[in-house]
Each structure stands twice: as C-alpha cells, then as structure tokens.
Amino acid sequence: MAKARNSTRNDLDARLRERMIGLLNQQLADTLDLYTQVKQAHWNVKGPHFIARGTARVAADESRLPELPLGSLDGLKLTALLADRYAALAKSTRTAIDNAGNAGDADTADLFTGISRGLDKALWFLEAHLQ
C-alpha cells in the first residue's frame, strides 16, 4: 500500500517517484548499515578477528534512547523530540565522565568530555529553535 505523499511541483511521474523513494530508502539503509559495520571494524580490529559490538543492529538493540516516530512530523515537534534525545545522551555522557574518572581512566574521561561538549552545543542549537 503506497503511503500518501505531500504534494510537489516535481514533474516526474508519481509512480516513478514512488519507485525512486523505495530505491533511495533501501540504499540509505544499506549504506548506513555498512558505515556502522566499517566503523566497528575500524575501532575493533585486532589481528585477524573482529569484535562485533558496533553494528546498527547491535546499537538499535542496546541503545537507551527511544526510537523517533517514523512518520512525518511537524518540524517543532521533531526538534523537541531530538532535543529530548540529545539531553538524555548528554546526561548519560556526563555520568560516563564521572565513572571513567572515578575508575582512574583520565583519557576515557577526557574522550567523554569532548563528546559532552558537542552534545551540549547541539542541544543549545536545538533548544534555540524551540524558543
């Protein structure tokens, strides 16, 4: 069943647009999956073996963040949902900074600190749109 699409001034045949949407979405899914698998391999290569913990499927299973709704959303509502997720990840990252520091691993704490800065900056930008 084809999903109702927003009106467009694009002159391509509607059936062709639908086929291309399917093609683009499939390629995007495959590309993102491959990207995370390459990232996984890059971070965990040790000799001839890999530790499989960073793929999209594993991340989806283990993430503590709620899934974004897949349907079309109002821009401000979507921005608010993203801000919620950035805030949650920023909070857990600050906890990770403390945990790494308390464990005596200053380098890992510093890595999380850099990530925390980026998350807080992005959250500031998102919240600026909501004011």
Side-chain angles (χ1 to χ4, degrees), residues 8-21 24:
T8 181
R9 290 172 180 81
N10 187 302
D11 65 339
L12 290 176
D13 180 76
R15 292 170 299 202
L16 176 59
R17 286 195 318 266
E18 283 299 317
R19 285 187 15 235
M20 293 305 102
I21 288 169
L24 287 163

Side-chain angles (χ1 to χ4, degrees), residues 44-57:
N44 292 296
V45 65
K46 292 178 178 38
H49 305 288
F50 300 93
I51 303 169
R53 302 286 311 151
T55 66
R57 290 173 195 92

Side-chain angles (χ1 to χ4, degrees), residues 28-67:
L28 178 62
D30 292 349
T31 301
L32 291 174
D33 186 20
L34 178 60
Y35 169 79
T36 60
Q37 290 187 43
V38 169
K39 190 75 163 171
Q40 171 66 24
H42 169 75
W43 279 100
N44 292 296
V45 65
K46 292 178 178 38
H49 305 288
F50 300 93
I51 303 169
R53 302 286 311 151
T55 66
R57 290 173 195 92
V58 170
D61 286 342
E62 295 185 4
S63 177
R64 296 170 288 184
L65 300 176
E67 181 72 28

Side-chain angles (χ1 to χ4, degrees), residues 45-105:
V45 65
K46 292 178 178 38
H49 305 288
F50 300 93
I51 303 169
R53 302 286 311 151
T55 66
R57 290 173 195 92
V58 170
D61 286 342
E62 295 185 4
S63 177
R64 296 170 288 184
L65 300 176
E67 181 72 28
L68 276 176
L70 296 178
S72 183
L73 294 175
D74 170 77
L76 288 177
K77 180 173 177 140
L78 183 58
T79 301
L81 291 171
L82 287 172
D84 291 343
R85 283 147 181 82
Y86 269 83
L89 186 57
K91 181 178 180 180
S92 69
T93 301
R94 281 188 286 281
T95 300
I97 294 167
D98 293 340
N99 290 343
N102 292 339
D105 188 344

